[in-house]
Amino acid sequence: MGKQGSPRGRQEENADLDISYGDKEQQFGNLLVQHGGDPPIGRRLAGGDYNSDNVFLAEGLKNDSAKFTPCKGAYVGKRQMGWLHRHIKSIVFTLLLMGFLFLLDSLLFSIFDPVMLQNKFPLQGSSKTEVEMVPRTVKEGPVKLYERLLNLAASSLAEKEFKQESSKLWEEPYPQASSWKPCADKTSPHAKPRNITGYILISANGGLNQQRVAVCNAVAIASLLNATLVIPKFLFSNVWKDPSQFGDIYQEDYFMDILKDEVNIIKELPPNLKLLAVEAAGSLITDADLSKEATPDEYIKKILPLLLRNRVVHFLGYGNRLGFDPLPYELQRLRCKCNFHALKFVPKIQQTGSLLVRRIRRYDFARSTLDKQLLGNLIPHVPLRDHHAAEGPSKYLALHLRFEIDMVAYSMCEFGGGETETRELQTYREVHFPLLLERLKESKPLSPEELRRTGKCPLTPEEAALVLAGLGFKHGTYIYLAGSDIYGGQSRMQALITLYPNLVTKEDLLTPNELAPFRNFSSQLAALDFIACATSDVFAITDSGSQLSSLVSGFRTYYGGGNAPTVRPSEYRLAAILSRNKTIGWHSFEGKIRKMINEGQRVHVRGFGRSIYQHPRCKQCMCRH
C-alpha cells in the first residue's frame, strides 16, 4: 500500500539520456569488460543499417546493369576487374572496419540499452493484482522528469569513474553507532505464573513483513494476558495470493524454544477446545473491536474478560493492533526478542538465501554477524580453498525501490506519463480503491503539483538514480534490486539502468530450478529479498514507511555493529531539491543530497511512539557500551 503522493504530467519523447552511442564510447569505453561471474546484462537483436546497406548495393548493381550493351560488356568487365584488383586492400579494410563497428555497436547496446528490462520489469508493474488496463497504442519511450539533471549525473559519473572512491560512502558516518549492542535475548528475572487465563489464536493478514509484526505483537499480548499462544496462522490474501503458513517461513521449534521461558507456545489447541464455536461464544476479535495501536489497558479491559470466560480468543486479521508507547519495559523487550532472535527462516529459505548472497558478492564466506543471524552456518566463516584472494570481496548496494502500481495509484500523483498514465491509474483505482475515490469526492484533494512539492509522491527509479549519483556511487556500483514489479517497466527503469547498469534481481542470480520451490509463494520470495537487503554493504530505501524497509533497516541497526549504513532520503527535502532541477548546478546538487542523507543517519535513541522494529536503539532492545 502506498502513501499519499504527488504528480506531474507529460510523457517525454522517445529520446535516451542526452548521450549518443558515440559519446558513450568516449565516456565509458573502458567500462565494457564485465565482471567475472556476473549475469549478462542483455543482447541486441541482429539487423539494422548493415543489412539495409547490402540491399542498397545489390539494388544499385542490378539497376546499373541495364545500362550496358552486349558489345560493351567485355570491356566493362575487364575495366571493373582491374579496378577491383587495384582497390582490393581498401575494400577489405572497409569491410573489416564496418564489421568491427557493428560488433562495437552491438556491445555498447547490450550494456547501455535498458530495453533488456522489458521482461524483467513488466510494463504494468505489479504481478500481485489483476486488472484490465488501457491498451497502449503508442510505442513506449523513456519517461523522464529531470532530463537535465540526468545528463549532469552521467557526465559526473564518467568523470569520477577512475578516481579513488571515498570509503565514507560504504560506512556509517557516525562512530557512535558501534556503541550499541544487541541484548534483547536476556530472559526476564521476574518469574510469573503462566497459562492461567486461556489460549490465544492469531490469524495474521498482509505479506511477509506485516505478518512478522503481527507475530511479535501476539507474543507480547500472550505475555500481557498470561495466556498460551497457539502458533499463528497466516490468512490467504487475494492480493498476495500466498498460502504459506508460519512453518513454511519460520522454524517453529526454534521459535518455541527461544521464547519458552517467556511465553507458553503450542502448535495446536487442546482437543477439548477445538470444537468451541469461537464466533458464537463472542470470542472472535476483529479490527473493529480494537483501536489501531491499542494500549495494554485496552487489552486488559476488553479482551481479558472474554478470555477468562471462554478460555479462547481468536484475533482475526490481526496486525498493527498494539502501540509502542506507553508499554511496560518487559513487553517492549519481549517484542524485540521475538523479532530479532526468535524468528529464523526455515532451512530451505536460508539455503537459497545463502546462494543468492554468495553470487552477489562473488565469494563464499561469511563476513558479519548479520550473515550468521540470517543464514546460520550455511556460509563458512573462512574462505573455501578454491577462493582466490586476488578477486577480493565484492561490495554491493541493495535498493528497495517501491514503485509498484498499487502504491503509485493510491498516491494520486502524476509521474510524467501523460494521458496514458492518467487513464491507467484511474482504471486501477476504480477497481482496487473505490473507497479512496469516494473519500476524494467528499473533500478537496491536493493538486498533483502540491503533492509533489510537499514530498508526498513515491520516488521514481529516475529520482532514486539521481540520489545515488548525488552521493557519489560510481557507474559500476553493483546494485541488488529488491522486487521487480516496477510500474511502467523499461520506460521507467531506463534512467536508473543507464547510470547504473550493474543492477540485478534474484531472478537474474538464481536459475529457474533454484527459484521453482518459491514460485507462487510471494512471502517466501520476499524472505529472499529480506536476506539480500539485510546483508548488503549499503541499504538504500525510497519509502521509509515500507514494512520491508523498516524491518530490514532495524535488523541492520541491531546486528550491524555500526557497519551497516542505511540511505534514507527525506521525501520533503528531496522534493525541494528536485524542484530546482532546471537551474541547480551539479556540485550544489551533490552537496544538498549528501547533507540530507548524512543528517538522516545520525545516531538517535528511539523516540516516543516510534517503531521498536525499525528503531531498536533503546534500553529495552540494545545495550550501550
Side-chain angles (χ1 to χ4, degrees):
M1 188 66 62
K3 304 179 304 182
Q4 287 288 58
S6 110
R8 193 158 168 184
R10 269 194 357 251
Q11 171 132 11
E12 302 286 352
E13 295 187 6
N14 191 11
D16 199 348
L17 256 140
D18 230 2
I19 305 176
S20 67
Y21 283 126
D23 292 330
K24 288 177 185 174
E25 180 181 353
Q26 180 180 357
Q27 294 176 354
F28 300 129
N30 293 325
L31 302 179
L32 304 182
V33 179
Q34 296 191 3
H35 297 288
D38 285 355
I41 300 298
R43 291 193 180 121
R44 184 179 185 179
L45 295 176
D49 295 338
Y50 183 73
N51 290 337
S52 63
D53 288 343
N54 291 340
V55 173
F56 176 81
L57 288 172
E59 223 22 75
L61 289 174
K62 183 173 69 174
N63 292 336
D64 287 345
S65 66
K67 301 176 183 179
F68 294 113
T69 63
C71 63
K72 295 181 181 179
Y75 170 74
V76 172
K78 290 180 181 179
R79 186 178 179 182
Q80 286 181 340
M81 289 301 294
W83 182 88
L84 286 173
H85 181 73
R86 289 195 305 272
H87 296 281
I88 187 67
K89 291 184 178 180
S90 298
I91 295 172
V92 171
F93 175 79
T94 301
L95 291 175
L96 289 174
L97 180 61
M98 290 175 64
F100 172 76
L101 292 175
F102 175 77
L103 291 174
L104 180 61
D105 178 69
S106 298
L107 181 58
L108 285 170
F109 191 98
S110 70
I111 292 177
F112 288 101
D113 195 356
V115 77
M116 63 189 177
L117 294 174
Q118 185 167 4
N119 295 327
K120 185 190 298 184
F121 302 100
L123 189 59
Q124 301 301 344
S126 178
S127 60
K128 299 176 302 207
T129 52
E130 295 178 2
V131 58
E132 184 176 350
M133 308 300 289
V134 179
R136 296 179 185 268
T137 57
V138 182
K139 183 179 178 181
E140 279 297 328
V143 180
K144 293 179 286 187
L145 297 174
Y146 310 101
E147 187 167 7
R148 174 180 170 272
L149 280 178
L150 288 172
N151 292 331
L152 294 176
S155 297
S156 176
L157 292 183
E159 180 184 342
K160 295 177 180 178
E161 187 60 34
F162 301 105
K163 293 183 179 179
Q164 186 174 1
E165 186 171 46
S166 170
S167 62
K168 292 181 180 179
L169 296 171
W170 298 95
E171 298 175 356
E172 290 269 12
Y174 300 101
Q176 303 96 310
S178 61
S179 64
W180 290 89
K181 307 295 181 184
C183 61
D185 55 336
K186 296 178 181 178
T187 302
S188 173
H190 307 293
K192 63 180 182 179
R194 292 181 293 156
N195 192 26
I196 62 173
T197 57
Y199 299 87
I200 290 179
L201 299 173
I202 296 287
S203 296
N205 59 8
L208 173 77
N209 302 291
Q210 292 87 350
Q211 291 166 346
R212 188 182 185 102
V213 170
V215 170
C216 296
N217 289 344
V219 168
I221 293 305
S223 175
L224 172 68
L225 301 179
N226 287 335
T228 293
L229 176 67
V230 180
I231 289 283
K233 302 291 185 185
F234 294 159
L235 293 176
F236 181 84
S237 166
N238 288 329
V239 174
W240 301 100
K241 301 184 185 300
D242 185 353
S244 298
Q245 288 302 316
F246 186 97
D248 298 316
I249 300 172
Y250 302 110
Q251 300 177 32
E252 289 185 348
D253 292 336
Y254 185 90
F255 174 73
M256 297 167 66
D257 184 63
I258 291 294
L259 298 172
K260 66 183 179 183
D261 295 326
E262 313 269 5
V263 179
N264 274 0
I265 304 176
I266 59 176
K267 294 185 178 181
E268 293 184 351
L269 273 176
N272 62 313
L273 293 175
K274 285 184 177 180
L275 299 177
L276 176 67
V278 175
E279 186 172 3
S283 288
L284 186 66
I285 309 299
T286 66
D287 285 354
D289 302 308
L290 280 173
S291 304
K292 186 177 181 180
E293 298 189 357
T295 64
D297 285 345
E298 187 171 345
Y299 280 91
I300 291 173
K301 291 177 182 178
K302 292 184 177 181
I303 307 303
L304 185 57
L306 293 175
L307 188 60
L308 292 172
R309 185 178 72 215
N310 298 327
R311 296 285 291 161
V312 178
V313 292
H314 182 191
F315 292 91
L316 181 64
Y318 192 67
N320 191 20
R321 294 289 151 180
L322 178 63
F324 292 103
D325 293 296
L327 202 69
Y329 177 94
E330 283 303 318
L331 289 187
Q332 205 76 289
R333 183 194 59 80
L334 188 55
R335 290 209 290 192
C336 279
K337 184 174 182 177
C338 177
N339 183 51
F340 297 114
H341 293 276
L343 292 174
K344 293 279 190 185
F345 293 124
V346 294
K348 179 181 78 170
I349 293 175
Q350 287 185 326
Q351 289 167 1
T352 305
S354 68
L355 189 63
L356 180 61
V357 170
R358 279 149 52 195
R359 286 181 182 168
I360 297 173
R361 292 177 178 165
R362 301 191 290 278
Y363 64 94
D364 292 306
F365 60 95
R367 186 185 56 205
S368 67
T369 305
L370 282 164
D371 292 348
K372 180 173 177 56
Q373 291 299 322
L374 287 164
L375 303 170
N377 296 318
L378 291 171
I379 300 184
H381 287 272
V382 293
L384 300 180
R385 291 182 179 179
D386 59 352
H387 173 71
H388 299 290
E391 295 175 4
S394 175
K395 292 182 178 180
Y396 75 98
L397 179 147
L399 173 63
H400 185 213
L401 186 59
R402 290 212 67 204
F403 202 70
E404 301 92 346
I405 189 172
D406 54 351
M407 186 175 187
V408 171
Y410 195 85
S411 72
M412 299 302 299
C413 293
E414 294 175 359
F415 299 92
E419 294 183 4
T420 300
E421 174 192 289
T422 301
R423 290 195 303 270
E424 284 181 349
L425 296 183
Q426 184 62 19
T427 300
Y428 191 92
R429 292 184 198 107
E430 291 170 357
V431 174
H432 295 275
F433 303 132
L435 295 180
L436 171 65
L437 296 179
E438 288 298 321
R439 288 200 304 269
L440 293 175
K441 290 179 182 178
E442 299 172 1
S443 61
K444 184 179 179 181
L446 294 175
S447 68
E449 293 75 19
E450 183 68 12
L451 289 170
R452 183 163 297 282
R453 187 184 67 79
T454 54
K456 294 181 179 178
C457 292
L459 264 65
T460 65
E462 176 186 12
E463 290 168 334
L466 288 172
V467 171
L468 295 179
L471 289 173
F473 285 103
K474 290 189 173 182
H475 176 75
T477 300
Y478 206 73
I479 298 178
Y480 177 85
L481 182 66
S484 57
D485 293 329
I486 303 301
Y487 172 69
Q490 82 272 13
S491 65
R492 284 291 174 190
M493 290 298 296
Q494 181 171 355
L496 177 59
I497 204 67
T498 300
L499 293 183
Y500 294 101
N502 288 334
L503 185 148
V504 294
T505 67
K506 55 185 174 294
E507 289 79 12
D508 297 314
L509 297 168
L510 299 172
T511 67
N513 287 339
E514 290 164 346
L515 278 171
F518 304 96
R519 294 294 182 193
N520 303 318
F521 299 101
S522 61
S523 291
Q524 295 179 46
L525 287 170
L528 298 178
D529 278 337
F530 188 105
I531 290 171
C533 290
T535 58
S536 64
D537 296 278
V538 177
F539 179 47
I541 64 180
T542 61
D543 175 25
S544 57
S546 156
Q547 285 281 24
L548 174 65
S549 294
S550 297
L551 290 173
V552 168
S553 62
F555 214 88
R556 290 168 61 82
T557 297
Y558 192 78
Y559 284 117
N563 296 307
T566 296
V567 173
R568 51 170 71 84
S570 162
E571 289 94 338
Y572 179 79
R573 292 181 63 179
L574 180 60
I577 297 171
L578 291 173
S579 68
R580 299 174 52 194
N581 73 88
K582 294 182 179 179
T583 57
I584 191 170
W586 184 251
H587 181 72
S588 178
F589 180 82
E590 284 182 315
K592 291 181 181 299
I593 291 293
R594 295 189 184 202
K595 182 178 179 181
M596 172 187 68
I597 296 300
N598 284 338
E599 290 180 358
Q601 289 179 302
R602 287 178 177 171
V603 179
H604 297 291
V605 176
R606 184 185 73 90
F608 185 87
R610 304 297 294 274
S611 166
I612 208 159
Y613 310 117
Q614 184 179 4
H615 305 282
R617 288 192 186 109
C618 60
K619 60 182 180 181
Q620 298 94 334
C621 289
M622 302 184 74
C623 300
R624 195 170 187 176
H625 299 286

